[in-house]
Amino acid sequence: MIVLDIPTLFVSYVICSITLVVLLLVSYRNERPASVALWMAWLTLKASGLILYALRGQISPWLSIVLANVLLTGALSCALGAMQTFFQRPIRAALLAAPVAASVLITVFWLDTPFPRIQSINALLVLQCAMVALAIMRGRPTGDLTSLFVSVPFAVNAAAIAARSVSIALEPEYHLLTSNAPQTATFLMLLITQIASSFGFVLMLRERAEGEIKNMALHDSLTGCLNRRSYELIVQKELARTSRGGAVISLQRMDIARCKQGTDAFGHAAG
C-alpha cells in the first residue's frame, strides 16, 4: 500500500472540518436548527481534539491527552445528539455525558501508561460511532437511502478505529502523525467519511425541508385536510389512469349545511 505523508493528511482533515463548519454557519446564519448546531459542535470539537493530540510531547499531557480525548468523546456525543434531535427523539443527557466522563477517568488513571489508555479510548470511540450509526438506522424511514450517507461513514469510522487498535497492539511505539500504511488508511478513511457524512446530513435536512414545503402546499394549514391543489392533482392522476385503462371514474361532491351558523357561533377555528 502507498504510504502518504500523515502530517499533510492531518492538516487536510482539520482544514476540511473547519471548512464544513464555516459552510454550515453561512448556510444557516438566519435560522439554525438544534441538530445543525450540534453537528457543527461535533466537527469543531473533533478537529480541536485532534490538534491537541497531535501536539503531544510539546504541551502538557493534561491538554494533549486528557483534554484532547474529552473533546473527541464530546464530539461524538454531539453527533449522537444531532441525530436524536433531527429524528425528534428525546436526548438523554446521561447517555451523552457518560462517554466524556469515562474518557476523563481513563486518561487520568492511565496518564503515564499509553497502551491501555489508547486501547480503552479506542474501544470507547468505537462504541460511540456504533451508537450514532444505530441511532440513524433506527430513525431512518423505510426505503430512505440518504441517511445511509451518514450512518455508513460512522460504521466505517468504528471499523477504522478498531483496525487502528490492532495496528497499535502490533506496533506499540505509536504517534498520531507517524507515517505508515495503517495511519494512511485511517486518515484517508476519516477524511472521506467526514465529507460523506456531512454531505448526507445536509441532504437529510434538505429533504425534510422539501417535505415540509410540499406538505404546506397540499394541505390546509388550519385543519390539515387536503386543499384544492391536492384534489386537482388527484383528479388529474385518476383521469390519466382511466384514459390508459379505459375505466370509468366518478366524482362525488358534498356540502355541509349551515356551516356559517357554526362559524358565527363558535368562531372560524371551530368552524
Side-chain angles (χ1 to χ4, degrees):
M1 178 179 176
I2 299 175
V3 176
L4 302 179
D5 184 60
I6 296 302
T8 302
L9 278 178
F10 176 81
V11 171
S12 301
Y13 183 79
V14 172
I15 291 175
C16 177
S17 298
I18 295 172
T19 303
L20 290 171
V21 171
V22 172
L23 290 175
L24 288 172
L25 191 64
V26 173
S27 300
Y28 292 92
R29 60 186 178 278
N30 296 324
E31 184 178 357
R32 190 173 301 123
S35 59
V36 175
L38 286 167
W39 191 266
M40 291 168 59
W42 135 251
L43 293 171
T44 304
L45 293 177
K46 181 177 58 171
S48 302
L50 287 174
I51 291 172
L52 288 176
Y53 200 67
L55 295 174
R56 189 181 64 179
Q58 303 178 45
I59 59 176
S60 168
W62 290 94
L63 295 176
S64 63
I65 296 176
V66 179
L67 181 57
N69 284 292
V70 166
L71 291 175
L72 291 176
T73 51
L76 281 167
S77 290
C78 287
L80 179 59
M83 292 301 100
Q84 294 289 82
T85 303
F86 179 83
F87 291 112
Q88 300 176 344
R89 291 197 295 264
I91 296 179
R92 299 178 182 177
L95 186 63
L96 302 185
V100 179
S103 71
V104 173
L105 294 175
I106 291 170
T107 52
V108 171
F109 185 77
W110 281 314
L111 185 61
D112 299 320
T113 314
F115 185 77
R117 182 189 70 235
I118 293 173
Q119 296 295 58
S120 299
I121 289 294
N122 281 345
L124 187 59
L125 295 176
V126 168
L127 177 61
Q128 284 188 281
C129 287
M131 288 172 62
V132 177
L134 182 61
I136 299 168
M137 296 307 294
R138 282 180 55 202
R140 172 176 170 261
T142 304
D144 177 43
L145 298 178
T146 304
S147 56
L148 292 177
F149 277 98
V150 186
S151 60
V152 171
F154 277 97
V156 171
N157 275 345
I161 295 171
R164 177 171 167 263
S165 292
V166 174
S167 68
I168 292 172
L170 298 175
E171 187 181 346
E173 295 298 325
Y174 163 80
H175 189 274
L176 181 67
L177 300 182
T178 302
S179 295
N180 55 33
Q183 286 287 85
T184 298
T186 299
F187 269 99
L188 282 176
M189 197 66 66
L190 289 175
L191 183 60
I192 293 170
T193 55
Q194 176 172 262
I195 296 171
S197 61
S198 295
F199 177 72
F201 180 61
V202 171
L203 284 181
M204 288 167 60
L205 291 168
R206 179 180 174 181
E207 286 186 356
R208 171 165 291 182
E210 289 177 347
E212 291 174 351
I213 293 172
K214 183 178 179 181
N215 184 68
M216 289 188 292
L218 299 178
H219 293 80
D220 178 70
S221 59
L222 179 62
T223 63
C225 297
L226 297 175
N227 59 18
R228 177 172 177 172
R229 176 172 173 76
S230 294
Y231 287 119
E232 289 177 348
L233 292 174
I234 292 171
V235 169
Q236 291 174 7
K237 181 179 178 180
E238 290 302 312
L239 287 175
R241 184 177 64 83
T242 55
S243 65
R244 293 193 302 269
V248 178
I249 187 174
S250 62
L251 179 64
Q252 182 179 6
R253 177 182 177 184
M254 299 177 63
D255 186 24
I256 301 175
R258 294 187 292 277
C259 182
K260 185 177 184 304
Q261 295 178 12
T263 302
D264 293 340
F266 304 103
H268 287 283

